[in-house]
Amino acid sequence: MKQNLKIFLIYFENLLFVLLFYFSCNAQNLQPTHISKRTNENFDSNWQFHKGDIAMKLVARVGQGGITDINVPFINKKDTVIDYSNFKSSASFFPPDWKEINLPHDWAIEGNFVEDNTLGSQPGGSGYLPTGIGFYRKEFVIPESDRGRKISIEFDGIFRNSMVWVNGHLMGTHLSGYTPSNYDITDVLRYGNEDNNAILVKVDATQPEGWWYEGAGIYRHVWLVKTDKLHVVRFGTYVTTPSITDTEASVSIKTTLKNEYKTDKNIKLVSKIIDIKGLVLDAKISNLTLTSFEQLEIAQMATIIAPKLWSPEIPTLYKILTEVYEGERIVDTYETTFGVRIIEINKDGVFVNGKLCTVKGTCNHQDFAGLGVALPDKINWYKLKLLKEVGSNGYRTHHPSTPEMLDMCDSMGILVLAENRHLSSSEDGLKDLTTMLYRDRNHPSIFIWSMENEEAIQGTVMGARILETLVETTHRIDPTRKVTAAMNKARNEGGYSDKLDVLGYNYGDKQLAYVKDKEAHPERVVFCTEGTSFVSTRGEYEISWWPQTCSNSTIWQPNWGPYPGEDWADIVKYPYLGGLFVWTGFDYRGEPTPFIWPSVSSQFGFMDLCGFPKDGYYAYKAAWTIEPVVHIFPHWNWAGKEKDTVNVHCYTNCDEVELFLNGKSVGKQKAIPYKKLIWSLIYKPGKLEAKGYKGGKLVTKDIVETTSKAAQVVLSSDVNSLKADGCDVAVIRVVIKDDKGRVMPTANNLVNFEIEGPGKIIGVGNGDPKSHESDKANQRMAFNGYCMVLVQSTKQVGEIRLKALSENLKATEIRIKVE
């Protein structure tokens, strides 16, 4: 009772403060008479793309400093120099050389597969899709009303090695394909009736950064950012919660402001804490003077009464609304999403808000079927949704990720291990690291930083010196989180491992290396940053070098990992390991282990490139959820093997499972946690049924039947309606079934798609790791019964009608509203 009274009194005091603040603002006339807020304009539409290089020519330009010589992209047409980086040349374009596109865009996925083992950093690393050089160009208008504002352009991700010109002026270069780049273009713009502006971007994706498919092009969003000359700087807020109790949470707000006027400015900084309902919970005011061209960090402390904590189960979010006043005018606004939570990683495990929170994670690359790496926001959400459905609460990036995906992890309650791409203390290496840290440190989903993954100099004396620099840099910018590295060997030359707060193990289950290390060094904090690596081809149950297939039933190559789910037994037995990131949640292009050509994608995922589950998916669903699971495999279409012995496998979290063939019991087995069950029986066509029992009661079952021949195509969409925004996407699963509606598990029929209405097909796929079909087509062969088509809305309302047709099969149609 006393505790509730205390909470009420604190809440009342805080409410009183907010009301006084409101009336104070009115009294000081701070309800703005004019607002000059920042704008973040999506800049994805109406680009032109040219595949291939364009010559560079040294030309004379007249600038403020006189005549200068600079390199510009050009092409000769009847002895005329066409400067692609400048608007005035646009009428001279060759239409066939440039095509109209919208971003995000990955030109590599549009190409043809080439049997060339020199592509990528290792044979098959790029997925046998050539990259090369490409150019992007866009014309745009800046109104006269924007004269005097600061205008910059933000690229969330270009793969890679980009150069940017605006109106013929080289603005800069950026090497990394994973960190954002930003250019202040204020001085080189044309305003109002001065003429159109032109931006040109050269992308050179020739050299890889990793050993997987990385795509090519401007594959993330682009933003045109407009602010006052008095503004919050890029990534200019840092929000932490240094003290949290049941009754209140203190909120530290650090805001960096910059005055780019030639005169000093007296300003008022207002920071408001807002909950999900839009209610202002607290507000802080700071009055100060910023001298001309001064940049300053302002610290404020606020309070949330009876805070709702962020956790994977209940991911409650708050927002800081930053308002910068000059006199009565709001000159800038800035929003920062954050969560209130206590994350502790210690020698006993990972704890969220004081409770042990074992991380059920997956490692993932960023590509998807039909799209390459140029994913609409909806597809990132769809991938995370599929992972949540299997029971996952953790996501490990292999490089700085797209910011929208981190926003989704915040709102969905997914713990993120955020990883720096390169172990490098060079100028570029440190810039990439610090950019990731400043951009992402407010995300409550990020629970730990990783400095690198399996770098060649990992665990060496030189590597230790570089690592120490990266760790110290990270601690300086974000002292609230611990730092790890994903190590495939627990080497400690030069004290490499000792530089880390948390020792990350890749495949530490091999001979229980992480357990032995913990026993030898009980003070160490350890975590399983990567495990499993079970390769399998969806729907295949035989090992073959030709055709190249990996069985879902048997470990083959590589041999460093266990069966799906088995490594989870170590996490349960040794909770100090903190959790596990499975390699991987989804298949990804490139790294087609254990094969090379004609395989073009990996087979490590427990879902394929389309997100269709493999059998190993159910091992983790059984381990990670309380939902009763019984999953039996293989399929039961084995014509010609009627006298052969077939092993039936089962993943389950039940106490016991009884298997029946055509109604007759084959036997009941007691389940061993995280181990699959196996029955050997003579194949007979018909019906396999597995019944799962808990506490002696039937709780679930699974049925696999011998099907008849393929008879129909069936479509199912993940949504019934789309937004008319030109961005929203429907993921449509295509299934080949027999006349009784059962999935035909070996079907490979070619399916053609016809679309009408306000939508377009943006990609197709089927999860076959050796398919060389185009991902940008209106047709796709089914692979073991399934394929997929992605449909994107336009900006018009109406109804999309998608029809699927296949020879000798009953056609089908699906309708999706666009609203």
Side-chain angles (χ1 to χ4, degrees):
M1 187 69 181
K2 290 182 179 180
Q3 181 78 355
N4 291 336
L5 180 61
K6 182 180 179 182
I7 293 174
F8 173 77
L9 290 174
I10 296 175
Y11 178 82
F12 180 77
E13 180 183 0
N14 195 63
L15 178 62
L16 182 62
F17 172 83
V18 173
L19 290 172
L20 289 172
F21 167 77
Y22 174 80
F23 290 117
S24 172
C25 286
N26 278 313
Q28 299 177 49
N29 206 13
L30 275 182
Q31 298 303 310
T33 58
H34 177 68
I35 297 177
S36 179
K37 294 181 180 179
R38 74 170 54 215
T39 60
N40 291 296
E41 176 187 334
N42 184 280
F43 212 57
D44 289 348
S45 299
N46 302 318
W47 287 75
Q48 297 167 307
F49 172 68
H50 177 277
K51 186 176 180 180
D53 204 357
I54 298 175
M56 305 294 288
K57 183 177 181 64
L58 195 66
V59 299
R61 281 276 163 77
V62 179
Q64 294 179 350
I67 298 177
T68 58
D69 291 335
I70 61 171
N71 280 314
V72 299
F74 87 107
I75 190 168
N76 280 323
K77 183 181 180 182
K78 296 181 180 179
D79 299 322
T80 300
V81 173
I82 301 172
D83 179 358
Y84 284 104
S85 66
N86 208 335
F87 164 72
K88 297 181 184 298
S89 302
S90 65
S92 305
F93 279 0
F94 298 120
D97 289 346
W98 295 77
K99 68 176 183 178
E100 302 289 333
I101 59 127
N102 293 325
L103 306 177
H105 179 245
D106 174 3
W107 82 70
I109 198 67
E110 300 171 348
N112 297 318
F113 294 95
V114 177
E115 186 180 1
D116 183 352
N117 284 320
T118 66
L119 296 174
S121 60
Q122 63 183 31
S126 70
Y128 295 101
L129 286 169
T131 53
I133 295 173
F135 283 80
Y136 294 85
R137 189 180 187 279
K138 175 174 172 140
E139 296 176 11
F140 60 102
V141 175
I142 299 294
E144 179 65 31
S145 58
D146 282 338
R147 190 185 294 271
R149 304 185 76 189
K150 294 295 296 185
I151 302 178
S152 63
I153 190 162
E154 180 89 17
F155 295 91
D156 283 345
I158 304 174
F159 198 86
R160 67 180 292 266
N161 193 8
S162 57
M163 303 176 70
V164 177
W165 292 263
V166 175
N167 293 333
H169 296 267
L170 178 63
M171 305 310 299
T173 62
H174 189 74
L175 280 175
S176 171
Y178 297 110
T179 56
S181 52
N182 180 280
Y183 304 98
D184 183 345
I185 59 176
T186 307
D187 293 343
V188 299
L189 291 173
R190 304 184 182 104
Y191 296 86
N193 296 323
E194 289 184 356
D195 217 337
N196 276 13
N197 296 274
I199 183 169
L200 182 82
V201 182
K202 178 183 179 181
V203 182
D204 185 350
T206 306
Q207 296 298 318
E209 287 193 49
W211 50 90
W212 53 87
Y213 176 82
E214 298 178 287
I218 308 177
Y219 72 97
R220 292 178 181 170
H221 293 305
V222 182
W223 307 93
L224 192 66
V225 182
K226 302 177 182 179
T227 71
D228 192 85
K229 289 184 179 180
L230 177 60
H231 58 272
V232 179
V233 302
R234 183 183 183 222
F235 314 139
T237 58
Y238 182 35
V239 182
T240 59
T241 50
S243 175
I244 302 172
T245 66
D246 292 339
T247 57
E248 65 178 42
S250 61
V251 181
S252 169
I253 309 167
K254 294 181 179 179
T255 308
T256 302
L257 302 179
K258 188 172 185 179
N259 174 21
E260 296 192 57
Y261 284 100
K262 296 178 181 179
T263 58
D264 298 350
K265 295 292 181 180
N266 296 318
I267 68 167
K268 188 182 298 288
L269 172 66
V270 179
S271 299
K272 302 175 183 177
I273 300 179
I274 301 173
D275 69 9
I276 195 170
K277 296 179 181 179
L279 298 176
V280 177
L281 306 181
D282 196 4
K284 295 299 174 184
I285 302 174
S286 297
N287 295 288
L288 63 147
T289 299
L290 276 182
T291 60
S292 176
F293 295 100
E294 180 183 8
Q295 180 169 309
L296 181 67
E297 181 183 82
I298 300 97
Q300 299 170 311
M301 289 296 297
T303 303
I304 299 176
I305 304 305
K308 295 181 179 179
L309 303 186
W310 186 97
S311 69
E313 297 78 21
I314 306 176
T316 303
L317 295 174
Y318 295 92
K319 180 173 66 178
I320 299 290
L321 175 60
T322 303
E323 296 174 339
V324 182
Y325 284 81
E326 183 191 7
E328 300 177 2
R329 185 170 66 100
I330 292 182
V331 296
D332 195 20
T333 58
Y334 194 91
E335 293 187 0
T336 308
T337 300
F338 72 103
V340 179
R341 86 285 189 273
I342 303 171
I343 292 182
E344 185 179 5
I345 308 171
N346 59 35
K347 60 185 181 63
D348 297 318
V350 176
F351 295 81
V352 177
N353 304 323
K355 297 179 181 179
L356 181 66
C357 182
T358 307
V359 179
K360 307 168 183 176
T362 60
C363 306
N364 295 284
H365 286 303
Q366 58 184 347
D367 60 322
F368 194 69
L371 301 169
V373 295
L375 272 59
D377 294 345
K378 162 62 185 290
I379 300 302
N380 276 316
W381 177 88
Y382 180 74
K383 292 178 68 176
L384 293 173
K385 173 178 171 287
L386 294 181
L387 292 171
K388 288 282 287 187
E389 288 174 352
V390 78
S392 176
N393 66 1
Y395 193 100
R396 176 184 162 213
T397 67
H398 223 37
H399 42 67
S401 59
T402 180
E404 290 77 17
M405 196 207 74
L406 293 175
D407 292 339
M408 295 170 195
C409 289
D410 290 344
S411 63
M412 298 172 77
I414 297 175
L415 293 163
V416 176
L417 184 152
E419 194 159 271
N420 178 50
R421 176 62 202 97
H422 292 294
L423 181 62
S424 170
S425 57
S426 67
E427 181 179 355
D428 283 332
L430 286 174
K431 182 180 178 181
D432 288 340
L433 172 64
T434 57
T435 298
M436 178 185 75
L437 295 170
Y438 283 123
R439 187 194 70 173
D440 297 339
R441 60 183 178 173
N442 290 318
H443 287 283
S445 58
I446 295 177
F447 77 105
I448 193 170
W449 302 108
S450 174
M451 295 297 94
E452 53 95 358
N453 171 73
E454 299 179 356
E455 291 279 345
I457 57 173
Q458 185 181 84
T460 66
V461 173
M462 181 185 294
R465 292 198 299 267
I466 296 171
L467 180 65
E468 185 173 25
T469 298
L470 301 189
V471 172
E472 289 176 348
T473 300
T474 303
H475 285 160
R476 173 176 53 83
I477 293 174
D478 180 19
T480 70
R481 292 178 178 90
K482 291 189 175 180
V483 178
T484 189
M487 302 175 63
N488 55 3
K489 295 179 181 177
R491 296 167 57 185
N492 200 28
E493 287 91 331
Y496 191 94
S497 297
D498 296 334
K499 308 300 181 186
L500 299 167
D501 304 319
V502 179
L503 183 58
Y505 278 91
N506 288 5
Y507 309 99
D509 58 313
K510 199 73 173 177
Q511 299 177 336
L512 288 178
Y514 40 38
V515 175
K516 293 177 181 178
D517 185 66
K518 180 69 172 180
E519 291 173 348
H521 304 277
E523 76 287 352
R524 276 187 177 170
V525 181
V526 299
F527 191 93
C528 187
T529 43
E530 184 175 317
T532 310
S533 277
F534 180 79
V535 295
S536 59
T537 312
R538 178 181 55 76
E540 296 292 339
Y541 301 97
E542 294 180 349
I543 295 171
S544 174
W545 280 107
W546 191 264
Q548 294 178 344
T549 58
C550 295
S551 172
N552 283 262
S553 307
T554 308
I555 290 179
W556 184 33
Q557 295 184 17
N559 60 359
W560 60 71
Y563 282 105
E566 287 189 355
D567 41 5
W568 193 248
D570 287 349
I571 308 302
V572 174
K573 186 175 181 180
Y574 307 105
Y576 58 74
L577 293 173
L580 165 70
F581 285 99
V582 174
W583 190 266
T584 53
F586 298 88
D587 286 347
Y588 53 93
R589 292 192 178 280
E591 199 174 13
T593 307
F595 306 116
I596 51 175
W597 182 270
S599 288
V600 295
S601 69
S602 82
Q603 303 189 48
F604 288 111
F606 58 63
M607 288 181 278
D608 68 17
L609 263 173
C610 298
F612 294 127
K614 304 180 188 180
D615 295 296
Y617 168 99
Y618 297 95
Y620 288 103
K621 190 174 182 67
W624 289 348
T625 70
I626 60 173
E627 175 187 339
V629 174
V630 166
H631 173 75
I632 53 174
F633 58 100
H635 61 73
W636 212 237
N637 282 31
W638 299 103
K641 294 188 176 183
E642 283 74 11
K643 296 183 179 180
D644 292 353
T645 298
V646 177
N647 286 338
V648 176
H649 304 252
C650 177
Y651 289 121
T652 186
N653 55 10
C654 295
D655 300 333
E656 295 179 306
V657 178
E658 187 171 12
L659 182 67
F660 297 83
L661 175 59
N662 296 329
K664 183 179 180 180
S665 177
V666 180
K668 180 183 286 188
Q669 294 190 31
K670 289 186 177 182
I672 300 174
Y674 318 115
K675 295 280 188 178
K676 66 178 178 175
L677 305 176
I678 302 175
W679 291 264
S680 294
L681 58 155
I682 303 298
Y683 173 69
K684 293 179 182 178
K687 177 181 176 181
L688 273 178
E689 182 174 15
K691 296 182 179 181
Y693 299 87
K694 280 194 173 185
K697 295 181 179 181
L698 177 65
V699 291
T700 189
K701 62 182 179 180
D702 190 26
I703 295 174
V704 175
E705 294 183 277
T706 307
T707 68
S708 53
K709 65 178 183 179
Q712 57 181 316
V713 183
V714 177
L715 300 178
S716 63
S717 173
D718 72 317
V719 293
N720 297 319
S721 64
L722 295 173
K723 298 176 183 177
D725 59 3
C727 301
D728 205 0
V729 178
V731 181
I732 300 173
R733 295 189 172 197
V734 185
V735 187
I736 308 299
K737 295 187 176 183
D738 67 7
D739 54 359
K740 293 184 178 180
R742 299 171 296 193
V743 178
M744 178 62 185
T746 58
N748 61 355
N749 305 67
L750 178 65
V751 182
N752 291 281
F753 304 106
E754 296 177 357
I755 189 168
E756 297 179 1
K760 60 182 179 180
I761 294 172
I762 60 170
V764 292
N766 62 10
D768 181 359
K770 55 186 181 297
S771 173
H772 294 176
E773 299 170 89
S774 172
D775 278 42
K776 301 296 183 180
N778 286 359
Q779 64 178 31
R780 191 70 167 194
M781 290 184 67
F783 176 63
N784 289 335
Y786 295 88
C787 62
M788 183 197 69
V789 57
L790 302 174
V791 173
Q792 189 171 58
S793 64
T794 66
K795 294 184 178 181
Q796 296 179 335
V797 299
E799 184 178 67
I800 297 171
R801 296 176 300 282
L802 180 75
K803 183 178 288 187
L805 308 97
S806 186
E807 187 176 358
N808 298 323
L809 301 185
K810 181 181 177 182
T812 188
E813 181 180 274
I814 194 169
R815 300 189 177 200
I816 301 171
K817 293 181 180 180
V818 180
E819 302 171 331

